[in-house]
Amino acid sequence: MSRGPIGIGGAVVSGKGLRKQGLQRLARLGTYAGPYRWRLIGAITAMFGVLACTLALPLLLKAAIDSAIIPGDTRLLAFIAGSVVLVGIVGIGLSRAETYLTGWVGERILTDLRGDLFAHMQSLSMSYFERQRTGVLISRLTNDVEALQQLVKDGLTSTVRNVLTLVVAGTILLFLDFRLALATILVFPLMALLTYFFRGQSARAYRLMRSRLALVTAALQENLNGIRVIQAYRGEARSRAALAELNQSYRDANKTTVTSSGWYFPTVEFLAAVATCIVFGYGGYLYVDRSIEIGVLVAFIGYLASFFDPVQQLSQVYNTFLAGTAALDKIFDVMDDAPTLVDAPDALPLPALTGAVKFEDVRFGYNPERPVIDGLELNVLAGQTVALVGHTGAGKSTIIKLLARFYDPQGGRILIDGHDLRAVTVESLREQIAIVPQEGFLFNGTIHENIAFGRPDASRADVEQAAREVGADRFINELPDGYDERVQERGSRLSIGQRQLIAFARALLVDPRLLILDEATSSVDIQTEAHIEEALQRLLADRTAFVVAHRLSTIRSADLIVVLEHGKVVEAGSHEQLLAIDGRYRGLYGDWAEAVAR
Amino acid sequence: MQQHSLELTSGAELRKTFWPTMRRGVGLMRAHRLALWASIVLAVIGQIFTISIPWATGRVIDEAMRPRDTNQLRYLIILILCLAIGRFAVMYLRRLIAGTMAINIEQDLRNLVYHHLLSLSFPFYDRNQTGQIMSRATVDLTALRLFLGYGILFFTQHTVSVVAVMAVLLWMNPIVAAFVLVIVPPLGLLAVMYSRRSQPIVTEAQQALAHVTTQAEESVVGVRVIKAFGQEDQEVVRFRDRATDVFTLNVMATRLRSQYVPIMDFLPTISIALLMLVGGREVIQGSMSLGDFVTYSLLIALMVMPLRMLGAWIGEAQRFVASAIRIFAILDTEAEIVDAPDAQPLPAGGGAIHFDGVTFGYDWDRPIVSGVNLDIAPGSTVAIIGRTGSGKTTLTQLVPRFYDVQHGSVLVEGVDVRNLQLDELRGAIGIVAEDTYLFSATIRDNIAFGKPKATDAEVQKAAERAQAATFIEELPDGYETLVGERGLTLSGGQRQRIAIARALLLDPRILILDDATASVDASTESRIRRALEEVMQGRTTLIIAHRLSTIALADRIVVLDDGRIAADGTHDELIGTNDVYREIHDHGLVDRRFVDADGDHVIIPVGVDQEEGS
Ligand SMILES: Nc1ncnc2c1ncn2[C@@H]1O[C@H](COP(=O)(O)OP(=O)(O)OP(=O)(O)O)[C@@H](O)[C@H]1O
Ligand SMILES: Nc1ncnc2c1ncn2[C@@H]1O[C@H](COP(=O)(O)OP(=O)(O)OP(=O)(O)O)[C@@H](O)[C@H]1O
Ligand SMILES: [Mg+2]
């Protein structure tokens, strides 16, 4: 039974290279079967057995008619009937083994592939994730693997089985009666031609359909993600219309597949009937000539079915093959995308940090032609607290991303305790730093799990301690399940400020040598913020910290204030030093002051 | 309210709901019943043609070959060809009609589900993960459309062919037929048992798959946090666990399949054996013709495919019901927030808002705001302040009626929002939410989201007021720059300013700014603030803020504490009486020491400074 495509696929495959490339992809998929080869061999052996049992039946029927019924030999008839039963029983046993083993191996391969794909994705760099749409990445892990499931579980085995059936049935036909076989096989070129046309037509239609479906799914995903904005701005009607239009275009693409399979399958059935007529027409004359027996004709009719079915099924499997290899393509594309940030071959683990950080003429741009950081020089002593200030878009968050090595600079270098970031292992670096990002992203889980994210084995007492430091304990204790309260997706059951506090506690719990706060308290109330600042005084005593903030109160206590403009340091110094010169900081400061002076 | 959750029912419950769900699912086809009947009728006719061919084959043997009558042979072969042509015509039509029906059904289903999703209110989205919803709208929808589009038709077609074959067999020779058909009851029984046992597993497997989707989504969206904490390995382990759950369940399903399906496949060989024993003997004795014997053997083969397919469709029927339950769970979630039958348009006015004894909580038993009474005069600017989690956002979300209150009422222009037309109400309110969401579209489209017909000049004006114009114009494609999904390619402050522009463009009567400048630097903020002062003329503005600078825009300040109004008044009234406000104020004053009348930055010490020396 042919099953439609599932979900988003976007199979935009160029037609020509498909077959060759497809085979290469399949070979690569084959390596996943390696560990399970014995089961696979078992499955294939069982498949041969099942095939033999299926194909034995017409022969037994022929024997029954020619050797037992017509001569009137009841004992032989009973014996043949017994053999049929035996074949059936053996067939059941073998078919069981085949079904189970192919199913098992198929599922196993898919599970392994899915896991590897996920692991690989996790190793890819941030820039990769910013380039790709979330929906697309997710569908690699879900829809594309599902599309493969068809190929792995049904497609491959049924291809092998059908090809085998075709060959064996053809051979048997030739052996049964050479002349009749040749006459019948006359239909075959016609069938092949028909199938060729159909396949071309349906492959095109199929590709179109899948790419349209991908659009539908991606649009739906984005609408769901933005549903709150849509409803707030009354965009429902527009979204509805847009989705309906995409649905319509998908349906239109679907329509062409209906038309092409509409003529193909009935024609194949018709050709099969023509072949039957040939068997009887030519075979009938042969029989009249007494050069053939009735049983042979009956067996012929039986095998004709085994001969035509596979052709039909193969053309159906072709769609599965298309979808599957297209999915494979996309999956392997991801797997072949080498992480741009990998440890250098001679990377050393970073020893315990004291926390001196140095930026030397660092240049970076998300798009290398548009530098965001342009010749940044910065020298931070161990244990200092550095505040980065500057207009929005000045590159503050970008510096922080560079420091955590989410990106590598395009020029210059970043040293930490004198080690170039590129010369140490990423793991040892991230172990010793903690970031509180701009958006307090929470995972769907309990509050405890979220705070303990960076140290999953942390005890409840440690988690509570971290929550207390940031003043989150107050609201957590009021929740019905306290630390075991589940926050929904992205923490949507908490207020924004609460999410930030949890993200803050999460960073403190890992006890980092280098703490990075990117507007970590921007949505927190003043009281709680004051509490956090107080705690930070103590916590930061012997660590280096980078702080991005827009509130003066957070900034002024920093040892070093760095004013950024267009990715360059324009001023640096302590609060008092910077105020003393009539520069950017004083300008910024004027804005603060003006705000409260009214 | 727990019914919003889409998590699944138990296997036992599922069995109980099997038939009602099936009936309801099939009811979705009402609009297509004509096409369905037409294709069923065509399928039955096609089946009759199909069965006639083996019958004619038997005739060939008995009437043409055994008597060696070449004329009769010619005649019968032409008959078979005619039957084949007839079948071709009928099946061609059947495929066209049924295929078109199937894609129309799919289109209907998609529109139905998508449209419903768009109409569901915030509480639904609070409780359900996007991954779960997506998995329903894709995987489950596929199961539904397969069954409705093809399942019912094939089910009838196959049943008809099995029954027709049985009838023909019985009519030709009841005794032999009785033996041959002995396999049909056990086959039916096996099929039913198989369906019973695999149904719960199939359902569970689908749920497990939805979990994979959800986890995949979360790990992709949260990848920055995962990387920052070096937790990639932990995530991979968790993901593999999820994938292994799917594996385990699918293997269980496979095991069941391997137990039942091969038996069903090979049972017909028993029929063939019985045919040989009983029928063959009759042929030898002369009470059955050889042609009939051959017809019999061919008909048994004809029965095998439909029987197997019936088995497969029984499996598909379970997938269908399992999926239908999940889709109906969505369709049955009523959009709570809809226009009342007698909803009225928004009366003219200046944006008066009135909270009257308002109590609301996301869970019924945990009020977040309670007993709030608040009168906001048209054209006034009110700051709402309070500690994190005190219910500020929640309170403002009641004005555009994103949620309905549990007690009391919210009135806009003197009318309960539940009696207003939603479209008009929300059209009069511009919101800048604290977490900014942008669409992957151009900056222009994002700003004009609430008013797609806005002219370029309007868009530009809104951007200028939100202090976004400068940076937008610096971008390579200006307003036509595509922002990545969730606006990832912009800085936090840039995103926020686009959201402000989006709200300002609407020229709303009521403006709600929920911590709208949290990620904006002080200079930009002060420029936005100046622009806002101008913008706020003639409209009611609610400002949620933590910073004194923003609060200072307001004529009146409302302090929320734990969902209750702790204080309400002007700056002068509150400074002496309210601790929360005084604290914010004092904090802000830290900065004030340096200001003098000329705006020159000279240090002026101010007495109240708790953080002196820090
Ligand atoms: N992933 C990205 N791809 C392309 N451009 C980006 C990306 N992230 C940021 N930018 C651009 O880089 C510049 C600097 O952004 P960054 O986030 O570092 O600013 P910021 O100083 O942290 O601002 P804010 O105070 O608003 O957070 C901005 O112009 C922004 O548009
Ligand atoms: N969707 C939700 N489901 C359940 N509880 C929620 C939901 N949204 C918020 N809450 C809870 O309601 C309370 C008030 O949240 P709200 O977002 O109104 O706070 P807020 O005053 O705006 O805080 P902040 O200053 O941090 O933005 C919080 O305790 C929060 O945990
Ligand atoms: Mg809030």
Side-chain angles (χ1 to χ4, degrees):
Chain A
M1 165 189 36
S2 92
R3 196 175 277 172
I6 296 174
I8 168 173
V12 191
V13 201
S14 66
K16 288 286 173 212
L18 186 89
R19 235 149 298 145
K20 193 168 137 250
Q21 206 190 14
L23 289 178
Q24 281 170 0
R25 298 298 201 186
L26 286 182
R28 185 159 165 202
L29 184 65
T31 59
Y32 274 84
Y36 315 114
R37 58 177 162 280
W38 292 113
R39 288 171 201 257
L40 199 64
I41 289 171
I44 292 172
T45 316
M47 185 202 295
F48 277 112
V50 173
L51 196 69
C53 291
T54 317
L55 289 179
L57 282 177
L59 277 182
L60 287 169
L61 197 62
K62 166 190 173 298
I65 293 174
D66 289 346
S67 319
I69 296 177
I70 292 179
D73 186 344
T74 44
R75 281 193 53 184
L76 185 59
L77 189 61
F79 176 75
I80 294 176
S83 319
V84 170
V85 174
L86 191 70
V87 164
I89 291 171
V90 173
I92 290 178
L94 289 173
S95 170
R96 266 195 179 182
E98 187 207 339
T99 311
Y100 183 73
L101 289 175
T102 45
W104 192 95
V105 173
E107 291 294 341
R108 196 65 249 175
I109 291 176
L110 288 179
T111 309
D112 292 350
L113 183 66
R114 213 195 289 260
D116 287 0
L117 179 62
F118 183 83
H120 184 76
M121 261 189 201
Q122 290 288 309
S123 76
L124 288 173
S125 350
M126 270 319 293
S127 57
Y128 183 83
F129 285 90
E130 281 166 8
R131 271 203 317 273
Q132 302 286 335
R133 292 175 69 165
T134 321
V136 171
L137 289 178
I138 296 165
S139 88
R140 294 287 169 277
L141 287 165
T142 54
N143 297 313
D144 288 333
V145 176
E146 297 303 308
L148 255 192
Q149 181 170 35
Q150 293 246 331
L151 182 65
V152 171
K153 279 175 65 186
D154 315 334
L156 290 184
T157 49
S158 97
T159 308
V160 175
R161 185 185 316 123
N162 284 316
V163 169
L164 267 177
T165 312
L166 203 66
V167 172
V168 177
T171 318
I172 294 179
L173 284 181
L174 282 172
F175 270 95
L176 276 176
D177 190 284
F178 182 70
R179 298 155 295 175
L180 197 51
L182 283 186
T184 335
I185 290 174
L186 277 182
V187 181
F188 195 70
L190 211 60
M191 179 90 116
L193 203 67
L194 206 69
T195 305
Y196 180 78
F197 277 121
F198 168 69
R199 211 185 52 182
Q201 206 181 42
S202 86
R204 268 190 307 279
Y206 200 73
R207 272 199 297 272
L208 186 67
M209 192 182 87
R210 285 195 64 90
S211 62
R212 296 251 170 105
L213 184 59
L215 289 182
V216 171
T217 315
L220 179 66
Q221 170 106 31
E222 180 149 6
N223 272 292
L224 292 185
N225 285 338
I227 188 81
R228 284 161 211 264
V229 176
I230 292 176
Q231 295 198 350
Y233 286 87
R234 297 159 306 123
E236 295 102 320
R238 245 177 317 132
S239 292
R240 227 186 322 254
L243 283 175
E245 191 180 316
L246 285 173
N247 271 341
Q248 180 69 40
S249 81
Y250 165 60
R251 181 208 170 271
D252 294 343
N254 244 334
K255 178 79 192 174
T256 50
T257 66
V258 169
T259 341
S260 60
S261 57
W263 62 259
Y264 174 71
F265 291 101
T267 313
V268 170
E269 282 173 357
F270 178 70
L271 285 181
V274 169
T276 308
C277 290
I278 293 177
V279 170
F280 279 120
Y282 185 47
Y285 288 106
L286 288 178
Y287 179 77
V288 174
D289 278 359
R290 293 172 204 279
S291 59
I292 204 171
E293 310 211 41
I294 286 188
V296 174
L297 290 185
V298 174
F300 239 89
I301 306 275
Y303 283 119
L304 273 185
S306 320
F307 193 68
F308 279 104
D309 278 356
V311 178
Q312 248 189 78
Q313 280 181 18
L314 280 176
S315 69
Q316 255 171 350
V317 167
Y318 187 70
N319 274 350
T320 314
F321 178 80
L322 276 185
T325 45
L328 257 188
D329 257 346
K330 289 184 279 176
I331 289 173
F332 285 143
D333 273 353
V334 176
M335 304 255 269
D336 290 342
D337 223 312
T340 45
L341 292 178
V342 281
D343 289 340
D346 51 352
L348 297 171
L350 196 60
L353 284 181
T354 60
V357 178
K358 199 163 177 204
F359 284 75
E360 284 181 358
D361 192 27
V362 172
R363 268 163 232 285
F364 173 79
Y366 296 94
N367 169 356
E369 273 137 44
R370 288 186 60 227
V372 172
I373 301 298
D374 199 5
L376 181 80
E377 295 279 354
L378 190 60
N379 195 358
V380 179
L381 305 180
Q384 269 189 331
T385 298
V386 187
L388 301 176
V389 300
H391 293 196
T392 61
K396 304 179 292 291
S397 303
T398 307
I399 291 180
I400 276 169
K401 289 186 220 165
L402 290 171
L403 184 55
R405 209 174 166 224
F406 284 140
Y407 297 88
D408 272 340
Q410 282 136 10
R413 53 182 195 156
I414 302 169
L415 303 170
I416 191 161
D417 279 4
H419 302 277
D420 190 321
L421 282 190
R422 283 170 293 204
V424 298
T425 62
V426 172
E427 194 186 344
S428 66
L429 170 70
R430 300 220 179 118
E431 252 169 22
Q432 302 191 59
I433 63 182
I435 307 177
V436 187
Q438 231 165 349
E439 313 85 14
F441 182 91
L442 301 191
F443 295 90
N444 183 20
T446 65
I447 288 190
H448 177 106
E449 283 162 6
N450 268 295
I451 295 181
F453 184 77
R455 236 181 78 195
D457 54 347
S459 71
R460 174 56 60 89
D462 292 342
V463 168
E464 283 179 13
Q465 169 67 24
R468 239 187 330 269
E469 305 271 25
V470 299
D473 55 329
R474 200 183 63 98
F475 85 84
I476 297 174
N477 289 329
E478 276 173 18
L479 293 170
D481 293 328
Y483 286 83
D484 295 319
E485 179 90 4
R486 294 190 71 83
V487 303
Q488 281 274 348
E489 199 174 22
R490 269 153 240 165
S492 67
R493 277 176 73 79
L494 297 180
S495 85
I496 298 279
Q498 289 168 341
R499 283 178 230 174
Q500 264 190 345
L501 292 181
I502 302 282
F504 211 129
R506 173 166 70 194
L508 291 186
L509 184 69
V510 297
D511 193 19
R513 298 298 312 147
L514 184 61
L515 185 64
I516 298 176
L517 308 176
D518 191 353
E519 299 185 40
T521 53
S522 61
S523 303
V524 173
D525 63 279
I526 300 284
Q527 222 177 338
T528 313
E529 191 181 36
H531 174 102
I532 294 177
E533 269 160 27
E534 210 174 287
L536 281 181
Q537 296 288 322
R538 192 161 29 82
L539 289 168
L540 295 183
D542 59 341
R543 323 172 196 246
T544 311
F546 277 74
V547 180
V548 177
H550 291 307
R551 291 190 209 165
L552 182 63
S553 51
T554 320
I555 294 168
R556 11 171 273 142
S557 57
D559 304 309
L560 177 66
I561 297 171
V562 177
V563 183
L564 291 167
E565 204 159 277
H566 295 300
K568 275 202 183 73
V569 179
V570 289
E571 279 168 35
S574 73
H575 177 71
E576 279 71 24
Q577 288 168 339
L578 289 183
L579 273 189
I581 49 172
D582 187 10
R584 296 294 193 320
Y585 187 70
R586 265 182 75 162
L588 262 178
Y589 194 73
D591 291 317
W592 271 306
E594 177 224 31
V596 289
R598 297 155 12 109
Chain B
M1 270 183 152
Q2 222 45 50
Q3 82 263 20
H4 290 303
S5 175
L6 292 178
E7 284 296 321
L8 210 70
T9 37
S10 71
E13 204 171 326
L14 199 102
R15 216 162 301 154
K16 221 169 55 216
T17 52
F18 188 87
W19 285 113
T21 310
M22 176 64 88
R23 210 164 309 131
R24 183 168 166 203
V26 172
L28 290 174
M29 293 191 64
R30 195 155 305 132
H32 305 277
R33 58 174 178 272
L34 208 70
L36 180 64
W37 281 115
S39 34
I40 287 180
V41 168
L42 286 171
V44 169
I45 298 175
Q47 234 34 56
I48 294 172
F49 280 121
T50 309
I51 294 173
S52 324
I53 292 176
W55 171 80
T57 311
R59 295 306 99 221
V60 171
I61 291 174
D62 283 351
E63 291 167 20
M65 293 175 66
R66 299 209 85 180
R68 299 184 198 275
D69 179 347
T70 46
N71 268 338
Q72 184 68 5
L73 184 64
R74 207 169 297 136
Y75 163 72
L76 280 170
I77 285 176
I78 291 173
L79 177 70
I80 295 182
L81 268 182
C82 290
L83 288 173
I85 291 173
R87 180 176 64 174
F88 171 80
V90 168
M91 290 315 268
Y92 177 66
L93 266 183
R94 203 283 281 145
R95 277 185 175 272
L96 276 196
I97 295 179
T100 312
M101 173 186 79
I103 59 176
N104 287 342
I105 288 177
E106 176 175 7
Q107 191 184 12
D108 283 4
L109 277 175
R110 283 186 195 278
N111 282 335
L112 183 70
V113 173
Y114 296 0
H115 291 186
H116 191 72
L117 281 175
L118 283 175
S119 75
L120 287 176
S121 342
F122 283 29
F124 174 83
Y125 288 99
D126 283 350
R127 254 160 256 268
N128 294 293
Q129 300 180 40
T130 323
Q132 285 276 345
I133 301 172
M134 276 307 284
S135 135
R136 274 160 181 67
T138 54
V139 180
D140 289 317
L141 200 127
T142 302
L144 230 70
R145 72 158 174 90
L146 272 181
F147 189 80
L148 293 179
Y150 300 100
I152 297 178
L153 172 64
F154 283 159
F155 220 91
T156 6
Q157 174 179 329
H158 296 324
T159 314
V160 166
S161 21
V162 171
V163 171
V165 168
M166 280 168 61
V168 172
L169 289 180
L170 281 166
W171 169 69
M172 285 170 63
N173 188 328
I175 300 175
V176 177
F179 278 97
V180 168
L181 293 179
V182 83
I183 59 153
V184 172
L187 245 177
L189 200 70
L190 278 175
V192 171
M193 272 165 58
Y194 175 49
S195 98
R196 274 277 165 87
R197 292 189 54 191
S198 64
Q199 183 180 308
I201 299 174
V202 171
T203 315
E204 234 178 291
Q206 251 159 290
Q207 188 64 30
L209 202 58
H211 284 310
V212 167
T213 310
T214 314
Q215 154 106 49
E217 194 196 9
E218 205 170 48
S219 307
V220 170
V221 178
V223 66
R224 190 174 296 181
V225 178
I226 295 171
K227 284 188 176 296
F229 287 88
Q231 291 301 312
E232 291 99 328
D233 294 346
Q234 191 198 338
E235 288 299 300
V236 170
V237 168
R238 282 200 353 194
F239 185 82
R240 282 196 199 270
D241 284 351
R242 291 270 155 94
T244 305
D245 289 345
V246 175
F247 169 75
T248 314
L249 286 162
N250 278 348
V251 165
M252 273 164 76
T254 301
R255 178 172 299 136
L256 271 183
R257 208 157 75 106
S258 74
Q259 278 167 9
Y260 284 95
V261 175
I263 303 185
M264 299 202 254
D265 280 356
F266 277 95
L267 262 185
T269 55
I270 306 278
S271 284
I272 299 279
L274 287 170
L275 172 68
M276 285 178 179
L277 280 180
V278 185
R281 208 172 289 254
E282 286 210 10
V283 174
I284 293 171
Q285 286 160 5
S287 52
M288 188 184 189
S289 73
L290 186 59
D292 283 355
F293 179 87
V294 171
T295 304
Y296 255 73
S297 71
L298 291 177
L299 282 179
I300 291 173
L302 261 192
M303 214 168 54
V304 175
M305 207 280 291
L307 273 175
R308 279 178 68 163
M309 281 291 127
L310 274 180
W313 280 109
I314 286 173
E316 211 52 46
Q318 300 148 45
R319 240 167 66 93
F320 166 71
V321 168
S323 293
I325 289 179
R326 291 139 63 87
I327 293 219
F328 288 148
I330 289 182
L331 293 181
D332 287 345
T333 309
E334 275 180 40
E336 300 142 88
I337 316 273
V338 285
D339 280 348
D342 52 349
Q344 60 185 90
L346 185 69
I353 306 171
H354 188 74
F355 289 86
D356 187 9
V358 168
T359 297
F360 168 79
Y362 298 94
D363 309 302
W364 274 90
D365 47 357
R366 200 164 73 90
I368 300 296
V369 290
S370 26
V372 170
N373 287 305
L374 198 59
D375 242 325
I376 298 169
S380 64
T381 300
V382 176
I384 301 177
I385 64 173
R387 298 189 62 152
T388 286
S390 55
K392 304 178 293 294
T393 302
T394 308
L395 190 68
T396 55
Q397 286 193 333
L398 299 175
V399 180
R401 201 177 162 216
F402 289 144
Y403 299 88
D404 270 340
V405 297
Q406 284 163 8
H407 298 291
S409 53
V410 178
L411 296 93
V412 170
E413 308 291 15
V415 184
D416 191 322
V417 290
R418 283 168 295 194
N419 296 328
L420 284 172
Q421 288 169 8
L422 266 185
D423 220 36
E424 291 234 334
L425 173 68
R426 291 186 185 165
I429 301 175
I431 303 181
V432 184
E434 44 196 346
D435 47 349
T436 317
Y437 184 87
L438 300 182
F439 294 90
S440 48
T442 63
I443 289 189
R444 188 202 176 277
D445 288 349
N446 268 297
I447 294 179
F449 186 78
K451 194 175 165 192
K453 295 206 180 75
T455 64
D456 285 350
E458 285 176 301
V459 170
Q460 219 160 332
K461 178 97 172 65
E464 269 162 25
R465 282 177 153 174
Q467 305 304 315
T470 332
F471 91 81
I472 295 174
E473 276 148 23
E474 273 173 19
L475 292 171
D477 297 323
Y479 286 86
E480 298 307 316
T481 308
L482 278 171
V483 295
E485 201 178 358
R486 291 170 191 282
L488 269 185
T489 50
L490 296 177
S491 83
Q494 291 169 340
R495 280 200 297 268
Q496 245 177 4
R497 280 178 283 160
I498 292 190
I500 295 176
R502 176 165 71 189
L504 293 183
L505 180 68
L506 278 187
D507 192 19
R509 222 185 280 180
I510 298 173
L511 187 61
I512 298 176
L513 303 171
D514 192 350
D515 220 358
T517 52
S519 308
V520 175
D521 64 285
S523 313
T524 311
E525 196 201 356
S526 82
R527 268 180 277 129
I528 293 180
R529 209 168 41 235
R530 261 173 252 138
L532 279 182
E533 274 170 359
E534 178 196 333
V535 167
M536 284 174 344
Q537 299 294 326
R539 48 184 121 239
T540 309
T541 312
L542 296 182
I543 300 181
I544 298 179
H546 294 298
R547 292 189 231 174
L548 189 59
S549 48
T550 317
I551 296 170
L553 282 172
D555 326 322
R556 178 178 163 200
I557 297 153
V558 172
V559 183
L560 272 187
D561 188 20
D562 219 359
R564 291 172 196 282
I565 294 187
D568 179 358
T570 61
H571 165 80
D572 293 332
E573 287 162 12
L574 294 188
I575 191 75
T577 55
N578 187 271
D579 289 343
V580 177
Y581 182 68
R582 197 175 44 239
E583 200 165 333
I584 292 176
H585 189 252
D586 293 351
H587 209 82
L589 284 183
V590 176
D591 310 332
R592 201 175 160 180
R593 302 179 297 167
F594 304 91
V595 182
D596 80 354
D598 295 323
D600 232 56
H601 307 292
V602 176
I603 296 176
I604 304 169
V606 170
V608 265
D609 188 354
Q610 302 171 319
E611 298 197 4
E612 188 98 65
S614 65

